[in-house]
Amino acid sequence: MALTIAVLSQKGGTGKTTTVRTLTDALRRAQVRTLAIDLDPQGNLSDYFDVAPDAQPTIADVLSGRATLAEAIHADVVPANLSLAEAELMLGGKMGRELTLRRALAGAPAEYEAILIDCPPSLGLLTVNALVAADHALVTAEAQYFALQGVEQAMEVIELARESLNPELSLLGIVLNLADMRTVHSREALASLRESFGDKVAGSVVRASIAYAESAERAVSILDHRPDLGADYLALADELLGRLPGLEDARGRLAELR
Ligand SMILES: Nc1ncnc2c1ncn2[C@@H]1O[C@H](COP(=O)(O)OP(=O)(O)OP(=O)(O)O)[C@@H](O)[C@H]1O
Ligand SMILES: [Mg+2]
């Protein structure tokens, strides 16, 4: 089974989608066969990867039982669009609703070594499905005053998933995003997260730059668009690979890219 990582945060705009996009790019460059799943009705990840807006089937069809996961893969991405909002509502009334994605992932093609899931900015049923399907959770936080509060909320949902349906779920890390370490509030956000979560907070902080919006708009990886900034994500990927068993070789290949 592929190693599955859910990227989540309760708050909007903490860089979940950019993190999934860029870690996927980094892993692929380190020759880890990686599937990216868009689990957000906003469909941002699908846009970042430039999947055709009318691509069918999507993750909504998978969760509704109309398609298999394998059928919904388009160039190593499972896209989402607004129809996922409807699928989520339908799912709410079903038995085993929290297990739907987990069951679908059991049918993922065996070639994939890693699966990254981009969650919507809420801790509702879609995020719970991701946490029940995943081996690891990665929480993103914006380097702002309320960072700690947002991460604590995400931790509660991770804990719930662990206590009920997925005892194996582990916290891979917390990533501080959109940081400007010259400012007091970024430094304070990092310090308060470290105080509560210790070395779970990734040492590799992602710096804020307008170049991310440009890179998203052009659907070009930040690794290519601005390699100087992309270095933050290569450092993060290296750090996270160091926490994941079985991917030591990939870490070596990633080091050659840095
Ligand atoms: N390090 C960064 N510096 C500056 N802007 C960034 C950075 N990372 C992402 N952004 C921009 O911030 C916005 C939000 O990023 P992103 O879509 O990755 O966040 P998100 O958590 O997935 O948002 P949502 O909660 O809406 O799904 C985007 O316009 C993106 O281009
Ligand atoms: Mg997003």
Side-chain angles (χ1 to χ4, degrees):
M1 265 292 277
L3 195 116
T4 304
I5 303 171
V7 178
L8 73 152
S9 71
Q10 147 86 334
K11 203 169 165 289
T14 60
K16 292 176 288 300
T17 305
T18 306
T19 298
V20 169
R21 158 87 216 227
T22 316
L23 287 180
T24 299
D25 295 332
L27 288 174
R28 286 178 184 164
R29 285 169 203 209
Q31 292 161 43
V32 180
R33 280 156 299 179
T34 307
L35 176 68
I37 299 181
D38 192 347
L39 199 61
D40 182 352
Q42 294 181 97
N44 295 146
L45 186 71
S46 310
D47 291 338
Y48 284 21
F49 275 116
D50 223 8
V51 178
D54 57 357
Q56 289 284 351
T58 66
I59 192 70
D61 299 300
V62 176
L63 296 178
S64 319
R66 288 189 296 263
T68 65
L69 188 87
E71 289 165 344
I73 299 173
H74 308 267
D76 296 322
V77 177
V78 179
N81 57 37
L82 257 188
S83 69
L84 179 56
E86 202 181 312
E88 183 185 13
L89 282 177
M90 292 235 323
L91 205 61
K94 290 203 177 141
M95 285 280 286
R97 57 187 177 228
E98 295 94 352
L99 291 161
T100 314
L101 183 63
R102 187 187 180 100
R103 289 181 178 141
L105 287 192
E111 75 200 66
Y112 291 110
E113 296 165 278
I115 300 176
L116 267 57
I117 307 172
D118 184 27
C119 294
S122 88
L123 300 172
L125 186 54
L126 290 172
T127 296
V128 169
N129 259 271
L131 290 173
V132 170
D135 308 301
H136 301 276
L138 181 65
V139 178
T140 56
E142 189 181 347
Q144 277 298 346
Y145 287 115
F146 298 110
L148 181 61
Q149 199 181 331
V151 174
E152 280 169 344
Q153 288 166 345
M155 283 317 157
E156 280 173 33
V157 180
I158 291 171
E159 201 45 54
L160 279 176
R162 219 184 252 147
E163 282 168 10
S164 53
L165 293 159
N166 190 8
E168 304 293 309
L169 179 67
S170 88
L171 174 65
L172 180 59
I174 299 158
V175 184
L176 193 70
N177 223 318
L178 296 120
D180 180 349
M181 296 320 266
R182 291 167 304 188
T183 64
V184 175
H185 64 256
S186 282
R187 289 199 299 270
E188 282 182 357
L190 185 60
S192 68
L193 286 173
R194 281 257 161 79
E195 205 172 297
S196 296
F197 301 106
D199 59 8
K200 282 293 177 191
V201 183
S204 323
V205 164
V206 179
R207 286 167 290 172
S209 166
I210 185 72
Y212 279 92
E214 298 161 6
S215 130
E217 199 179 315
R218 296 178 200 173
V220 173
S221 174
I222 197 76
L223 300 181
D224 296 317
H225 181 61
R226 282 287 299 277
D228 56 324
L229 295 168
D232 293 351
Y233 272 104
L234 292 182
L236 177 66
D238 176 63
E239 197 176 339
L240 299 180
L241 281 174
R243 298 179 188 185
L244 294 167
L247 288 171
E248 294 80 10
D249 294 357
R251 203 175 178 196
R253 290 191 292 269
L254 190 74
E256 287 164 28
L257 298 173
R258 294 177 72 194

